[in-house]
Amino acid sequence: MADGEVGGIVDEKFTAVREKFAQNLADGTDIGASFCVTRDGETVIDLWGGWADEERTRPWEKDTIVNVYSTTKTMTALTALWLADQGKLDFDAPVAEYWPEFAASGKDAIKVSHLMSHSAGLAGWTDPLDKQDLYDWEKATSLLAAQAPMWEPGTVPGYHALTQGYLVGEVIRRIDGRSVGTVFREEIAGPLGADFHIGLPASEDDRVAHLKPPPVAGLGSAAQTEIQRVAFEHPTIDVSETRTRAWRGAEIPAAGGTGNAHSIATVQSILANGGVMNGKRFLSEAGCRKALECQIEGTDLVLGIPVRFGLGYGLSGPMSPALNESSMFWGGYGGSIVLIDMQNRLTIAYAMNRMEGTTTGDMRAITLAALVWQAMAG
């Protein structure tokens, strides 16, 4: 394979997907990218290509990985679903049952399900936070435990862009004793051989693609309300931070995960396949379907768009009309995304390094996914 070209495998019925993927790399829609589809747990598309850096000095290889921002949330959510399926976590229980300090400032009735569905009223840190504080787990979680909610919990969604990972992650830590990144690695990614990391070892740094920031200003530039300002500016997201050892090594379970389309699809196929992947059962089928239970819907106070949230995932609805009722998804700032279709036992994942200005996924992945669905229907 020549530098910058497309590598990988494609089932012959999906030739149009490979052609579109290659076109995106050739015309600059993508610099480097990966796209993977599994069906019934089998990989039917696994593509990668282009360049791992904007300067085009490093080819995007099979094992190239990249920061995928909020697509990481699906890994944290799956870890919580796994713990619940073990009978150790009750989504309907008050958070304070597991994390007593969290009851402060009138939060004693907030449920774990509110954390999972972005409705806890803690969309950001009301005290300004320095980006270095994201690397201090104790500080980040203690501030949230002490903070009062910004709206009545459980009444309306408001995207917890960074805070969700610390909130759900601390509940996991309080129950299990291990950090969320450790539980994820030891119970899910490790057994699957999936190259996705919530907290990347320094030994893997040379495989990480460099993100190219979006052409427009960061997420905070769209902030209109106080809630949006707090969510996106405490602290402001700095894409260049993803090139640092501090960011990569830290456990930032809502935004700091590093992987590629193959590893994303491999992990999330657990849900698409009713709890089984690579011959191993990770969750019961009922434990998987729990994620589909709608917790809240309405116009999101942070994103400003209509949403439907299950337990850790977006569900079919106004912002995702193509999905059936047994589907869920989430994506990351800049363009990465994963779509999980339980009805068709299908998982579609995309990860790239040229960022668009969108908050959770964009049309590059959706166009490729549409070609997958067309081929399956044909």
Side-chain angles (χ1 to χ4, degrees):
M1 187 179 96
D3 287 354
E5 288 188 0
V6 175
I9 60 156
V10 184
D11 186 289
E12 60 183 25
K13 72 155 66 170
F14 299 111
T15 303
V17 178
R18 188 189 192 284
E19 289 172 353
K20 179 60 177 172
F21 183 84
Q23 180 190 329
N24 286 350
L25 292 168
D27 67 16
T29 299
D30 274 313
I31 297 170
S34 55
F35 184 72
C36 185
V37 178
T38 67
R39 191 173 191 189
D40 294 317
E42 299 296 321
T43 303
V44 293
I45 301 175
D46 187 14
L47 296 171
W48 63 86
W51 301 92
D53 58 341
E54 189 181 353
E55 298 77 21
R56 291 171 161 74
T57 64
R58 291 190 293 140
W60 186 298
E61 307 278 9
K62 180 179 183 177
D63 69 346
T64 296
I65 50 180
V66 68
N67 187 88
V68 296
Y69 278 109
S70 288
T71 300
T72 310
K73 288 182 173 70
T74 66
M75 306 300 171
T76 302
L78 180 60
T79 306
L81 288 162
W82 172 84
L83 201 60
D85 203 48
Q86 302 282 311
K88 298 174 183 175
L89 168 60
D90 180 358
F91 290 120
D92 288 326
V95 174
E97 185 176 309
Y98 308 111
W99 179 4
E101 299 91 330
F102 186 83
S105 303
K107 299 197 302 304
D108 51 300
I110 293 180
K111 299 176 181 180
V112 179
S113 59
H114 296 148
L115 306 184
M116 296 286 286
S117 59
H118 303 277
S119 62
L122 299 167
W125 289 267
T126 46
D127 288 337
L129 210 67
D130 184 87
K131 63 185 179 183
Q132 300 302 317
D133 294 330
L134 295 176
Y135 311 138
D136 184 340
W137 185 269
E138 194 60 39
K139 181 172 184 178
T141 54
S142 296
L143 285 171
L144 290 169
Q147 187 173 308
M150 288 183 277
W151 67 87
E152 186 182 344
T155 60
V156 63
Y159 188 48
H160 291 39
L162 280 171
T163 56
Q164 191 200 41
Y166 294 97
L167 293 164
V168 176
E170 182 63 6
V171 170
I172 290 169
R173 190 181 75 84
R174 294 291 178 123
I175 293 170
D176 185 89
R178 293 173 289 176
S179 71
V180 59
T182 304
V183 178
F184 173 76
R185 181 181 71 250
E186 294 181 353
E187 304 294 345
I188 299 172
L192 280 176
D195 190 12
F196 195 99
H197 312 264
I198 304 173
L200 183 74
S203 58
E204 311 309 307
D205 273 348
D206 61 347
R207 297 194 290 120
V208 181
H210 286 171
L211 289 172
K212 181 186 179 184
V216 295
L219 291 169
S221 64
Q224 302 292 324
T225 69
E226 179 63 12
I227 289 172
Q228 287 175 320
R229 193 181 68 77
V230 167
F232 289 140
E233 295 182 7
H234 288 185
T236 302
I237 293 292
D238 178 358
V239 173
S240 67
E241 201 70 11
T242 64
R243 299 191 185 190
T244 66
R245 172 91 294 266
W247 174 278
R248 293 173 180 175
E251 291 192 16
I252 304 172
T258 311
N260 52 30
H262 181 78
S263 60
I264 294 166
T266 298
V267 172
Q268 296 298 322
S269 288
I270 290 172
L271 296 179
N273 301 324
V276 177
M277 186 60 183
N278 291 358
K280 175 178 168 63
R281 178 164 290 285
F282 291 85
L283 279 84
S284 67
E285 183 134 14
C288 294
R289 297 197 71 81
K290 190 92 183 149
L292 291 170
E293 295 177 6
C294 185
Q295 303 298 312
I296 197 140
E297 53 189 313
T299 299
D300 191 282
L301 294 175
V302 174
L303 300 176
I305 56 176
V307 296
R308 293 180 72 234
F309 285 124
L311 288 168
Y313 295 80
L315 305 180
S316 61
M319 68 182 291
S320 52
L323 298 181
N324 60 54
E325 291 296 318
S326 293
S327 295
M328 53 195 173
F329 75 102
W330 205 244
Y333 175 38
S336 68
I337 201 167
V338 62
L339 302 146
I340 301 150
D341 179 349
M342 291 186 179
Q343 182 175 306
N344 293 300
R345 299 174 73 87
L346 186 75
T347 309
I348 300 174
Y350 167 77
M352 75 304 126
N353 58 356
R354 190 187 76 78
M355 299 175 69
E356 292 283 2
T358 51
T359 312
T360 56
D362 69 35
M363 287 309 297
R364 289 171 293 181
I366 300 304
T367 302
L368 290 168
L371 290 170
V372 172
W373 283 315
Q374 284 173 22
M376 284 174 50

